[in-house]
Amino acid sequence: MPVPILDSLPPLASLIRAGDAIIVGQAGAEPLTLSRALVEEAHSLPGAVNVFLGAVLSDTFARPLHAHLRPGGYGIMGGAAKGFASQPGSISGVLPTPYRELEAAFSAGRLRADVVMLQLAISPDGSRLSLGMANDYVVAAARRARCVIAEINPDAPFTPNTEADATTLRIDVAVRAAAGTVQSPTMAAEEAERRIAAHVASVVPDRATIQIGLGALPDAVLGLLSQHKDLGLHSGLVGDSAVALIESGAITNAHKGLDPGVSVTNTLGGTTRAHRHAHDNPQFLIRPATYTHHPVTLASLHRFHAINSALEVDITGQANAEHDGRTWRGGLGGLGDFVRTARLSEGGRGIVALASTSRDGKRSRIVAGTSRGQVTLSRGDADMVITEWGVADLRFATFEERVHRMIAIADPRFREQLERDWHALRGAT
């Protein structure tokens, strides 16, 4: 071990300075002991700090937060968005940068990192460390930070391919985890999500390499792919449903065109089931975003099918995955990288799948114009949009063709208004 592992964490006020930029591990690699201490001890810090967050799967930040914690990150999502929502200017710290560029930005010092809180896994014999469930920008940030605080979690899977990166980190404080890993279980799908999943499964061919995330819709899609043959897995974040598909034999990674026989992801979520699958498994690799999200990598994958979602899509194909008009719901992430580059893969498709209406059914998510003009994916990168009402293939489609195909997959209650909106837009040009 580079430093002794403490049984309890020293007061954070002794490690953190006013104005510090604090980077916190994300997804399943969130160091719960450290992130919870940050929230609970915020009042005792010497002043306000900037907290850089990623994909938060826990409820750590889903509460009223002390004003000393100023939010930031590449997308303030889920419970973190709720916790920071009441703070003035909570959106101002969001970084509209593609996810794969974050590592290089932290490595070069273009993004500041003073204190890094990360989770590390320990080998069964207690002699070695690995990055465990994420090989991301947090590691790059740690290499330049003034203070690196590591939570050593025996419940985190030991991933040998990340051992070298963990071994070369300078760790200032190491503490034993006081809690297990973040658990993100499979979510039950509603009727609309099951119908969407059926459409998605119908357009994914055998031997496709898939990219997909977490949530009720991705879980439903993965559940319907179990009869497919020789699928590959290359993703940014995966969980239990992807592991179930591997264990079913549907994912063999035999025809990926790259990394044959190996499942690849940048971060891991899910529950103990997924974590056990990743533990000491040479056929399941946690790799950096400079690889997993890089266009050269993705274009080399055979039949790469990128399956992502959005908050809304306009009738020309522009997708908004960031702001719903009221609340900041996400960031650029890897949506653009995956969907755009899937078009370059031989036999690949970039899929944006979403329910046609808001959860209460009162608002169409197929729109004439996105909220606040927010565009995460341009119409030029749009490929295939899927709702519970069908599939809109936008590749090489004219404006007129796109609009008619998009309106056809909108909820029938909103189609007439969308037609009127289109005629008004067309008449104004």
Side-chain angles (χ1 to χ4, degrees):
M1 296 298 111
V3 294
I5 302 177
L6 305 177
D7 289 324
S8 59
L9 181 68
L12 289 179
S14 68
L15 304 171
I16 294 173
R17 302 171 185 172
D20 272 351
I22 301 178
I23 317 301
V24 181
Q26 62 172 337
E30 179 189 339
L32 288 174
T33 303
L34 307 182
S35 57
R36 288 171 178 172
L38 179 63
V39 171
E40 292 163 3
E41 298 179 31
H43 67 282
S44 66
L45 298 180
V49 296
N50 299 302
V51 184
F52 190 99
L53 298 174
V56 180
L57 303 180
S58 74
D59 62 357
T60 306
F61 299 93
R63 66 184 82 174
L65 299 170
H66 196 277
H68 278 171
L69 302 183
R70 297 189 301 213
Y74 69 86
I76 302 175
M77 296 165 263
K82 296 177 184 177
F84 285 121
S86 62
Q87 293 194 8
S90 61
I91 294 174
S92 61
V94 174
L95 185 71
T97 297
Y99 178 73
R100 69 179 171 88
E101 296 183 12
L102 295 177
E103 289 174 41
F106 278 113
S107 293
R110 289 191 292 271
L111 289 178
R112 181 179 161 194
D114 298 304
V115 178
V116 170
M117 298 179 167
L118 78 166
Q119 175 184 267
L120 297 176
I122 191 166
S123 62
D125 65 2
S127 65
R128 296 174 293 150
L129 296 175
S130 79
L131 299 181
M133 291 193 277
N135 193 346
D136 58 5
Y137 61 86
V138 179
V139 182
R143 299 194 189 285
R144 295 186 66 94
R146 182 190 75 247
C147 179
V148 178
I149 310 172
E151 173 179 314
I152 312 302
N153 197 326
D155 291 339
F158 185 81
T159 48
N161 75 292
T162 69
E163 181 180 353
D165 284 316
T167 301
T168 57
L169 285 177
R170 187 204 78 249
I171 298 172
D172 299 289
V173 179
V175 63
R176 298 185 196 281
T181 53
V182 175
Q183 300 289 301
S184 182
T186 298
M187 299 179 66
E190 296 184 355
E191 175 61 24
E193 291 160 333
R194 290 193 290 270
R195 289 166 58 190
I196 297 165
H199 289 306
V200 174
S202 72
V203 301
V204 176
D206 290 338
R207 298 187 176 183
T209 300
I210 57 173
Q211 172 270 320
I212 197 166
L214 300 182
L217 177 54
D219 287 340
V221 172
L222 291 167
L224 291 179
L225 293 177
S226 60
Q227 300 305 309
H228 281 55
K229 301 183 185 304
D230 288 325
L231 295 173
L233 180 65
H234 181 105
S235 202
L237 172 62
V238 299
D240 288 5
S241 294
V243 167
L245 203 57
I246 296 171
E247 294 173 345
S248 76
I251 292 178
T252 64
N253 295 301
H255 300 278
K256 293 176 70 175
L258 192 66
D259 297 319
V262 176
S263 296
V264 174
T265 188
N266 174 246
T267 53
L268 183 63
T271 68
T272 301
R273 177 182 185 178
H275 307 166
R276 286 176 177 167
H277 180 86
H279 178 71
D280 203 19
N281 184 351
Q283 295 180 315
F284 192 97
L285 301 184
I286 310 290
R287 304 199 64 173
T290 49
Y291 180 81
T292 59
H293 291 58
H294 199 283
V296 172
T297 301
L298 301 177
S300 300
L301 294 167
H302 180 63
R303 291 184 181 177
F304 181 53
H305 279 60
I307 305 164
N308 292 269
S309 194
L311 298 173
E312 56 188 7
V313 182
D314 80 11
I315 52 179
T316 70
Q318 296 183 125
N320 165 25
E322 300 168 72
H323 202 285
D324 66 4
R326 299 178 299 276
T327 305
W328 197 266
R329 298 276 300 277
L332 294 183
L335 175 65
D337 289 328
F338 289 135
V339 174
R340 183 180 304 117
T341 313
R343 297 171 59 119
L344 302 178
S345 162
E346 181 182 354
R349 299 304 302 256
I351 298 168
V352 175
L354 72 165
S356 65
T357 68
S358 56
R359 192 166 293 276
D360 61 11
K362 295 180 179 180
R363 182 173 58 87
S364 178
R365 296 174 68 189
I366 305 301
V367 294
T370 57
S371 299
R372 298 188 178 185
Q374 195 80 40
V375 175
T376 311
L377 185 75
S378 74
R379 64 173 66 94
D381 295 319
D383 186 0
M384 186 178 287
V385 181
I386 297 178
T387 73
E388 69 271 31
W389 299 100
V391 178
D393 190 339
L394 306 184
R395 189 179 290 196
F396 308 122
T398 65
F399 273 104
E400 190 76 23
E401 291 168 336
R402 285 168 177 254
V403 169
H404 288 308
R405 293 174 189 179
M406 288 297 297
I407 291 175
I409 64 168
D411 186 291
R413 293 173 297 161
F414 298 98
R415 291 177 188 174
E416 184 177 343
Q417 181 60 52
L418 289 170
E419 288 279 7
R420 288 197 296 266
D421 291 340
W422 164 238
H423 285 297
L425 288 169
R426 186 173 57 180
T429 58

